[in-house]
């Protein structure tokens, strides 16, 4: 009878120990024991691993090569969500910056160092297209031009304005029309047409929003201009 007490204590200790070990196996916290996922044949995924893919400048999925500038240009969505222009992880134009508006939103950038020169919006519904012309005509050779439409980019566009933007490398400037979604990255003095351009036409049969197509997005790496050494 005197052994009943010690035996009872040993039984309690063994019970607690076995319970702790079983709990460790099920929860995957007991060192030296496989997790329950492993027992069932599942993969062992670390709870501390970040499932989100890594993003680089302006949210690009890959880093740009040396001597290239990362950019992302997003047109406005209908007449509700404003456009965005990002370069080298700097937001040049957006609703948050409070420097976007209906029409064409254009950021001029130094092609050598990537510094913003000027950013303006031009109302193409009831504005004066001559302001757009005066903004683009004096550009220096190599100046980068990043353009994003919002609401209506074309009602006030003239043939001269379309030609001027075409000389910056655009192929869609001649076709852009009422409420199209348009993004473009070009430069003063380009010899060929820019590879950085997207246009979605306003069409009742394909529009995502009532009266407007979906927003269009463009991202990539544009080569920096090198200084011409004499």
């Amino acid at each position: 009878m005197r052994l009943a007490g010690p035996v009872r204590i040993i039984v309690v200790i063994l019970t607690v120990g076995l319970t702790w070990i079983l709990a460790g196996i099920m929860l995957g916290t007991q060192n030296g024991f496989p997790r329950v996922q492993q027992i069932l044949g599942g993969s062992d995924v670390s709870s501390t691993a970040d499932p989100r893919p890594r993003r680089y400048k302006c949210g690009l999925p890959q880093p740009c090569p040396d001597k290239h500038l990362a950019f992302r240009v997003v047109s406005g969505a209908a007449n509700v969500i404003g456009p965005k222009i990002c370069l080298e992880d700097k937001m040049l134009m957006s609703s948050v910056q409070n420097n976007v508006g209906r029409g064409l939103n254009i950021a001029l950038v130094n092609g050598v160092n990537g510094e913003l020169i000027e950013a303006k919006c031009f109302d193409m519904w009831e504005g004066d297209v001559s302001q757009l012309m005066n903004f683009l005509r004096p550009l220096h050779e190599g100046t980068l031009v990043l353009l994003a439409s919002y609401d209506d980019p074309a009602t006030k566009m003239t043939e001269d304005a379309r030609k001027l933007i075409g000389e910056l490398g655009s192929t869609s400037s001649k076709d852009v029309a009422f409420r199209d979604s348009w993004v473009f990255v070009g430069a003063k003095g380009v010899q060929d047409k820019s590879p950085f351009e997207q246009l979605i036409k306003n069409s009742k049969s394909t529009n995502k929003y009532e009266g407007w197509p979906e927003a269009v997005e463009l991202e990539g790496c544009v080569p920096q201009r090198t200084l011409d050494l004499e």
Side-chain angles (χ1 to χ4, degrees):
M1 295 300 291
R2 291 183 179 179
L3 295 176
V7 170
R8 196 172 293 148
I9 293 173
I10 292 171
V11 171
V12 171
I13 292 173
L14 289 174
T15 302
V16 172
L18 287 173
T19 302
W20 178 74
I21 291 172
L22 287 173
I25 292 173
M26 296 303 293
L27 298 177
T29 58
Q30 177 64 29
N31 292 332
F33 289 89
R35 294 169 182 256
V36 67
Q37 292 95 331
Q38 293 174 317
I39 294 173
L40 298 176
S43 59
D44 185 12
V45 180
S46 173
S47 60
T48 59
D50 188 350
R52 296 172 298 178
R54 182 176 178 181
R55 291 286 173 175
Y56 297 87
K57 291 179 180 179
C58 291
L60 269 63
Q62 298 292 335
C64 287
D66 289 341
K67 305 300 182 182
H68 284 69
L69 303 172
F71 73 87
R72 181 187 295 272
V73 182
V74 185
S75 72
N79 62 345
V80 179
I81 302 175
K84 296 179 181 179
I85 297 178
C86 175
L87 185 77
E88 285 292 285
D89 242 10
K90 296 178 182 178
M91 194 62 68
L92 305 184
M93 302 188 75
S94 71
S95 296
V96 174
Q97 303 290 106
N98 196 29
N99 61 350
V100 297
R102 177 175 65 184
L104 298 179
N105 296 266
I106 302 176
L108 304 181
V109 173
N110 185 311
V112 176
N113 57 26
E115 292 297 320
L116 177 66
I117 298 171
E118 193 171 5
K120 279 189 176 183
C121 56
F122 301 90
D123 190 343
M124 292 288 102
W125 171 248
E126 56 184 7
D128 184 355
V129 72
S130 65
Q131 295 178 2
L132 172 65
M133 303 285 286
N134 294 336
F135 185 68
L136 295 178
R137 275 185 177 138
L139 298 184
H140 294 293
E141 197 85 359
T143 301
L144 293 177
V145 180
L146 297 91
L147 177 152
S149 69
Y150 183 28
D151 189 355
D152 174 30
T155 295
K156 289 290 185 176
M157 285 277 272
T158 62
E159 288 304 314
D160 286 342
R162 294 176 188 274
K163 181 180 178 181
L164 184 58
I165 299 175
E167 291 172 353
L168 301 173
S170 171
T171 57
S172 297
S173 59
K174 63 181 184 299
D175 300 318
V176 65
F178 176 66
R179 288 187 176 179
D180 289 349
S181 291
W182 182 29
V183 289
F184 164 66
V185 177
K188 176 70 173 182
V190 295
Q191 300 300 316
D192 301 311
K193 297 305 179 183
S194 171
F196 305 119
E197 187 167 30
Q198 293 287 340
L199 176 69
I200 298 181
K201 301 295 292 180
N202 170 24
S203 171
K204 290 182 179 180
S205 62
T206 59
N207 281 350
K208 181 175 182 179
Y209 310 106
E210 184 178 354
W212 286 272
E214 63 182 307
V216 62
E217 182 174 335
L218 187 67
E219 64 181 33
C221 306
V222 61
Q224 288 179 262
R225 181 180 173 84
T226 56
L227 288 172
D228 295 326
L229 300 177
E230 298 182 358

